[in-house]
């Protein structure tokens, strides 16, 4: 492949015609992308590019930016100059695609630019990191926030979602776009369903297979004044997990449940309490997968242990690895064994609080059961 000659370089620097320069730049940048230069030649070419990006002709700068946007060998200073170009037709290629730009570079641009167009382009970057998504959202420009939400590969934290809800609570169009995402934290689902229009709330209820009446009651219970402090504490703890468990009840396969618990873990809501609450409502699958994540083993492995080795030291090792409460080991094994009997008899084991409570209430004086039984109480 023939590369640029000295004559070509002369034309690049001296020729006032934009079209001629653009054609030469096209050839130069394509040769760079094909890696046709030696190390010494590449250094010279980069110096030529540094001269060219100062060119007043937008066509020349745009050609450079467009052709080099995916090239990771381009010096950082060249890429940064192109990213900061005042003409969006030049900068958009680098801002959207270049991997040479660092997060700090982009954070600086997000914080300092007055160009909404630049913010919109950055919002569309593939796998937009949470730091950048949060910075863009905190600019409080509605169309930019909408672009971040529309970017299915953007990582949006619970804090950023909270910012969106607080800022755009009275903007149903933006809230509706949030509903379309698949990474909403449980707490955000709960807030959104009370803010969106009725038809959107129904769509959410269908998507997550939620009972709107139950959720409404849940919200009312959270603000209810309860006179007995100990009862209030326990009731609040149960309320904290009931929505997560309700959503989990729609996951019928190990793979589905593992995906759901992975999301809970990512949102830093994975806990020993979730595992215990799941078991006390009869959701053995949620308990199993939660235990697997707490122990940092595969869901398949944990499922095999619980199904076949519940009375074996292997289960106790899994239990200890997950750092579950030691006093609850024996009662938890009893509950698992009973649920397995129900499964063997083809009795559905989802939402069995009343059945579990009736079966185990005679054990109330035994160690550990005094902690589990209140969680099984259907009246709480």
């Amino acid at each position: 492949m023939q590369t640029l000659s000295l004559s070509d370089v002369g034309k690049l620097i001296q020729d006032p015609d934009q079209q001629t320069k653009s054609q030469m730049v096209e050839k130069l940048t394509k040769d760079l992308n094909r890696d046709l230069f030696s190390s010494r030649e590449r250094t010279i070419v980069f110096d030529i590019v540094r001269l060219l990006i100062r060119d007043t002709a937008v066509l020349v700068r745009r050609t450079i930016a467009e052709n080099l946007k995916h090239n990771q060998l381009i010096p950082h200073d060249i890429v940064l100059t192109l990213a900061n170009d005042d003409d969006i037709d030049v900068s958009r290629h680098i801002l959207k695609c270049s991997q040479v730009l660092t997060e700090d570079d982009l954070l600086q641009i997000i914080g300092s630019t007055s160009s909404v167009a630049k913010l919109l382009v950055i919002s569309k970057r593939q796998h937009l990191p949470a730091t950048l998504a949060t910075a863009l959202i905190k600019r409080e420009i509605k169309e930019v926030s909408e672009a971040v939400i529309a970017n299915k590969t953007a990582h949006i934290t619970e804090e950023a979602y909270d910012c969106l809800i607080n800022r755009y609570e009275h903007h149903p169009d933006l809230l509706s776009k949030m509903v379309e995402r698949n990474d909403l934290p449980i707490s955000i689902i709960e807030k959104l369903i009370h803010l969106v229009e009725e038809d959107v709330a129904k769509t959410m209820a269908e998507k997550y297979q939620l009972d709107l009446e139950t959720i409404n009651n849940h919200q009312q219970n959270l603000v209810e004044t309860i006179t007995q402090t100990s009862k209030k504490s326990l009731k609040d703890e149960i309320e904290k997990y009931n929505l997560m468990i309700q959503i989990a009840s729609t996951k019928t396969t190990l793979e589905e449940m593992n995906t759901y618990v992975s999301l809970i873990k990512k949102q830093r809501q994975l806990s020993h309490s979730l595992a215990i609450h799941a078991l006390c409502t009869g959701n053995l699958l949620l308990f199993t997968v939660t235990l697997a994540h707490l122990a940092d083993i595969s869901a398949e492995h944990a499922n095999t242990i619980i199904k076949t080795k519940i009375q074996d030291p292997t289960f106790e090792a899994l239990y200890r690895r997950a750092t579950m409460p030691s006093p609850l080991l024996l009662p938890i094994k009893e509950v698992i064994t009973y649920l397995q009997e129900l499964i063997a008899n083809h009795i559905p084991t989802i939402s069995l609080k009343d059945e579990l409570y009736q079966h185990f209430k005679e054990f109330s004086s035994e160690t550990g059961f005094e902690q589990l039984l209140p969680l099984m109480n259907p009246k709480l």
Side-chain angles (χ1 to χ4, degrees):
M1 179 66 67
Q2 185 180 3
T3 60
L4 282 175
S5 64
L6 289 175
S7 174
D8 290 332
V9 173
K11 287 181 182 179
L12 269 173
I13 297 173
Q14 298 173 11
D15 199 316
D17 182 69
Q18 291 187 31
Q19 199 63 42
T20 301
K21 277 190 175 182
S22 180
Q23 290 171 357
M24 293 299 101
V25 164
E26 184 86 19
K27 185 176 180 182
L28 177 72
T29 52
K30 286 184 176 179
D31 286 349
L32 269 175
N33 288 337
R34 295 189 184 105
D35 201 18
L36 297 180
F37 299 105
S38 67
S39 177
R40 181 176 176 279
E41 290 171 335
R42 193 184 302 117
T43 300
I44 295 171
V45 170
F46 286 150
D47 285 337
I48 294 170
V49 171
R50 287 185 179 94
L51 290 173
L52 290 169
I53 59 178
R54 299 176 188 172
D55 200 296
T56 55
V58 172
L59 179 61
V60 172
R61 304 198 313 275
R62 185 178 68 205
T63 302
I64 294 172
E66 186 171 7
N67 287 349
L68 297 183
K69 61 187 177 185
H70 293 301
N71 192 319
Q72 296 190 40
L73 298 178
I74 306 304
H76 180 260
D77 66 294
I78 292 176
V79 172
L80 194 57
T81 299
L82 291 168
N84 283 300
D85 196 294
D86 290 335
D87 196 302
I88 190 63
D89 284 340
V90 175
S91 60
R92 72 165 64 250
H93 303 289
I94 300 298
L95 291 174
K96 185 177 180 181
C97 302
S98 178
Q99 296 302 309
V100 177
L101 285 177
T102 67
E103 281 193 30
D104 285 342
D105 293 333
L106 290 162
L107 283 171
Q108 175 65 29
I109 293 170
I110 291 169
S112 62
T113 187
S114 59
S115 169
V116 174
K118 284 192 175 185
L119 297 176
L120 288 171
V121 170
I122 297 172
S123 300
K124 296 172 184 177
R125 283 178 71 94
Q126 284 292 300
H127 306 292
L128 187 72
T131 51
L132 300 184
T134 300
L136 287 162
I137 288 167
K138 286 186 175 180
R139 286 297 305 264
E140 296 192 344
I141 301 170
K142 187 184 175 191
E143 60 184 309
V144 173
S145 293
E146 287 176 331
V148 174
I149 293 168
N151 183 347
K152 301 303 182 185
T153 67
H155 299 280
I156 305 178
T157 64
E158 186 170 355
E159 177 196 1
Y161 277 124
D162 263 327
C163 287
L164 287 167
I165 288 177
N166 292 336
R167 177 69 177 83
Y168 301 107
E169 180 178 352
H170 303 296
H171 295 261
D173 53 334
L174 185 141
L175 297 179
S176 296
K177 289 181 172 66
M178 285 178 64
V179 171
E180 295 172 7
R181 291 188 63 88
N182 293 319
D183 62 348
L184 295 178
I186 305 303
S187 61
I188 299 301
I189 293 172
E190 189 175 359
K191 290 176 183 177
L192 267 180
I193 207 163
H194 293 281
L195 293 173
V196 295
E197 296 176 347
E198 185 177 356
D199 58 332
V200 180
K202 287 180 179 178
T203 300
M204 285 187 73
E206 291 173 4
K207 180 177 181 178
Y208 296 101
Q209 298 186 30
L210 303 176
D211 181 347
L212 282 175
E213 184 177 352
T214 299
I215 294 172
N216 287 330
N217 290 337
H218 166 68
Q219 287 281 16
Q220 292 168 9
N221 288 336
L222 284 177
V223 297
E224 181 183 9
T225 302
I226 304 173
T227 54
Q228 296 180 0
T229 304
S230 59
K231 185 177 179 182
K232 179 181 187 298
S233 177
L234 176 61
K235 190 176 182 71
D236 285 350
E237 184 178 351
I238 291 172
E239 292 287 1
K240 177 181 177 180
Y241 294 104
N242 72 352
L243 183 61
M244 279 191 277
I245 293 172
Q246 184 183 2
I247 295 174
S249 68
T250 68
K251 317 300 178 186
T252 58
T253 68
L254 190 67
E255 182 180 0
E256 287 176 344
M257 190 64 78
N258 193 43
T259 300
Y260 177 61
V261 174
S262 295
L263 179 60
I264 291 175
K265 185 177 182 179
K266 184 178 178 182
Q267 295 160 3
R268 298 182 181 180
Q269 297 190 54
L270 188 71
S271 67
H272 302 96
S273 294
L274 174 60
I276 294 167
H277 279 264
L279 192 66
C280 289
T281 59
N283 196 327
L284 185 55
L285 185 59
L286 176 58
F287 170 85
T288 299
V289 178
T290 301
L291 198 67
H293 280 265
L294 290 169
D296 197 25
I297 68 171
S298 71
E300 291 79 8
H301 189 192
N303 193 44
T304 299
I305 292 173
I306 289 174
K307 278 186 173 181
T308 63
K309 299 182 179 181
I310 189 63
Q311 303 303 334
D312 190 272
T314 307
F315 174 76
E316 295 184 20
L318 168 60
Y319 190 90
R320 287 193 298 272
R321 183 183 173 96
T323 64
M324 292 288 284
S326 298
L328 297 183
L329 173 60
L330 291 179
I332 280 178
K333 286 174 67 175
E334 291 285 342
V335 175
I336 292 172
T337 301
Y338 180 63
L339 288 172
Q340 288 174 335
E341 291 174 5
L342 295 177
I343 292 170
N345 292 319
H346 305 291
I347 298 174
T349 59
I350 300 296
S351 299
L352 281 178
K353 287 182 73 171
D354 187 57
E355 171 105 18
L356 290 171
Y357 184 72
Q358 294 302 324
H359 182 82
F360 288 107
K361 66 181 180 181
E362 63 185 87
F363 298 89
S364 59
S365 61
E366 295 188 17
T367 302
F369 274 100
E370 74 276 10
Q371 292 175 263
L372 294 186
L373 275 170
L375 304 182
M376 299 174 184
N377 191 339
K379 295 181 180 179
L380 290 178

